[in-house]
C-alpha cells in the first residue's frame, strides 16, 4: 500500500547556521537512501516556506486567491515522502525515522487506490 508521509514543523524566524543546515540535510539524505534501499521510497520533496503559498477557492463561479495557507497553525507542512509499505506498522516504523518527527510531526495518510 502507498502511504503519504506529511512532515510538519514550525518555521523558525532565525536562520540555521550552515553547519546546522548541513546536518539536517545529511539526516534527510540518509533517510532517503535507507528508504530507497528497502524499496519503499516512491517520491519525496521539500516545500518552500508557507509564506510562498497561495490558496485558491472557487465561489459562485469566481476564483478567489489568498496569499499564504488557508488556516493559522503552529506547524506548517514542510515536505513529504510517498512510501510503499506492507502495512501501517511498517509505515509507522519508517515515519519515526524521518528527521522531522523528532522536532515536529509526521502525518501518515494511506493513498486511496482507485480500482
Amino acid at each position: 500500500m502507498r502511504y503519504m508521509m506529511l512532515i510538519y514543523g514550525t518555521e523558525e524566524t532565525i536562520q540555521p547556521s550552515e553547519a546546522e543546515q548541513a546536518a539536517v540535510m545529511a539526516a534527510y539524505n540518509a533517510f532517503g537512501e535507507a528508504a530507497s534501499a528497502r524499496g519503499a521510497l516512491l517520491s519525496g520533496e521539500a516545500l518552500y516556506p508557507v509564506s510562498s503559498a497561495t490558496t485558491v477557492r472557487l465561489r459562485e463561479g469566481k476564483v478567489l486567491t489568498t496569499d499564504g495557507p488557508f488556516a493559522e497553525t503552529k506547524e506548517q507542512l514542510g515536505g513529504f515522502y510517498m512510501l510503499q509499505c506492507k502495512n501501517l506498522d511498517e509505515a509507522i516504523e519508517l515515519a519515526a525515522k524521518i528527521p522531522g518527527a523528532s522536532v515536529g510531526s509526521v502525518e501518515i495518510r494511506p493513498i486511496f487506490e482507485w480500482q
Side-chain angles (χ1 to χ4, degrees):
M1 176 170 256
R2 293 180 303 153
Y3 289 90
M4 184 68 72
M5 309 289 173
L6 302 169
I7 306 165
Y8 290 91
T10 57
E11 291 182 353
E12 300 292 330
T13 56
I14 300 170
Q15 294 297 319
S17 70
E18 283 188 35
E20 291 168 330
Q21 185 63 27
V24 168
M25 290 310 300
Y28 275 101
N29 288 336
F31 172 80
E33 289 171 10
S36 183
R38 285 175 76 152
L41 182 63
L42 299 174
S43 180
E45 298 293 340
L47 300 174
Y48 278 99
V50 72
S51 61
S52 69
T54 301
T55 299
V56 176
R57 293 177 177 85
L58 182 64
R59 300 292 185 268
E60 299 176 7
K62 294 183 181 181
V63 176
L64 306 173
T65 61
T66 308
D67 291 341
F70 68 92
E72 292 291 325
T73 61
K74 291 182 180 180
E75 293 185 327
Q76 295 81 36
L77 179 62
F80 69 90
Y81 286 103
M82 186 185 308
L83 302 177
Q84 180 72 39
C85 301
K86 290 178 252 173
N87 51 41
L88 181 58
D89 289 337
E90 184 180 26
I92 292 169
E93 173 199 341
L94 286 168
K97 294 178 181 179
I98 295 173
S102 65
V103 294
S105 63
V106 176
E107 177 182 348
I108 300 171
R109 299 278 302 270
I111 296 176
F112 189 83
E113 303 290 350
W114 297 97
Q115 302 286 334

